[in-house]
Amino acid sequence: LVLSDARLTDVSFEDCHADMINLRMARLQRVRLSATRCRQADLLEARVADLSTDGADLRGASLDRATFTAADLRGAELEDVRGASALRGAIISPEQVVGVGLALIGEAGIRVE
């Protein structure tokens, strides 16, 4: 699914399979991902405001240079995301700390031996 440069407002994705969805440079406002699989989603330079996730699978997503405002990512699978520093200000649950933390460590070029 290619939605690059799209403007999505008041949209809900429920029980979908949208692996590799292209949301490059898209503007998303009040978007909900519920039980939706978006593995390897491309959100390069996307502007996301008021995002909620409930059982969303965002593993391997590319978040490089994206901005998130009022993003509630609790319940989302966030392992192996690229550009994890874009999640600044987002809300995650304690269960997501390891996955997001490992992504941030990798982004910073820190080696764990």
Side-chain angles (χ1 to χ4, degrees):
L1 181 60
V2 177
L3 295 170
S4 58
D5 207 30
R7 304 293 187 260
L8 303 176
T9 304
D10 296 320
V11 175
S12 181
F13 293 92
E14 297 183 24
D15 298 316
C16 299
H17 279 236
D19 288 345
M20 300 176 69
I21 187 171
N22 181 336
L23 292 164
R24 284 179 170 228
M25 297 174 280
R27 304 298 180 257
L28 288 72
Q29 186 171 5
R30 293 183 304 275
V31 172
R32 182 173 182 257
L33 301 174
S34 178
T36 295
R37 185 172 141 169
C38 296
R39 290 183 185 172
Q40 298 179 341
D42 187 350
L43 286 111
L44 175 77
E45 294 184 12
R47 303 289 175 251
V48 182
D50 197 9
L51 171 69
S52 64
T53 60
D54 178 27
D57 186 347
L58 294 168
R59 287 180 275 191
S62 177
L63 311 175
D64 296 304
R65 296 188 306 272
T67 59
F68 289 83
T69 307
D72 185 345
L73 301 175
R74 290 176 288 187
E77 295 289 336
L78 299 171
E79 290 81 14
D80 300 321
V81 295
R82 294 179 306 281
S85 62
L87 296 175
R88 181 182 314 263
I91 299 170
I92 63 171
S93 67
E95 295 81 22
Q96 295 167 299
V97 168
V98 173
V100 173
L102 289 172
L104 288 168
I105 286 170
E107 186 177 330
I110 298 169
R111 292 187 348 217
V112 178
E113 296 182 358

